[in-house]
Amino acid sequence: MDVLTDQLAQARARGAVFSVLRRIRPWGVRFSGRRPLTAHVLIEGTGWLEEPGRQPLRLGSATSC
């Protein structure tokens, strides 16, 4: 079993939901609840990941790093 397949199996990833969002600043999104596996891809630009009790983490797409 390859590494990705093993990680998806451990996360109990079954099925998929795909969504494409195009946002123009300033914007934000908030997630609640727990999901076994969630992936978000920043394709262009930069942003911040904020989590309660932690320092904000600056994110950048591969083209903005």
Side-chain angles (χ1 to χ4, degrees), residues 30-31 49-56:
R30 179 179 300 232
F31 299 95
L49 176 63
E50 296 180 3
E51 194 172 354
R54 294 191 173 186
Q55 291 291 324

Side-chain angles (χ1 to χ4, degrees), residues 15-36:
V17 175
F18 294 93
S19 177
V20 175
L21 303 173
R22 179 166 171 78
R23 300 286 188 238
I24 298 172
R25 69 177 155 171
W27 66 274
V29 67
R30 179 179 300 232
F31 299 95
S32 62
R34 294 186 141 294
R35 293 168 184 85

Side-chain angles (χ1 to χ4, degrees), residues 1 3-5 8-10 17 21-22 25 28 41-42 45 54 62 64:
M1 184 179 298
V3 174
L4 178 59
T5 302
L8 292 174
Q10 288 183 36
V17 175
L21 303 173
R22 179 166 171 78
R25 69 177 155 171
V41 178
L42 181 61
R54 294 191 173 186
S64 64

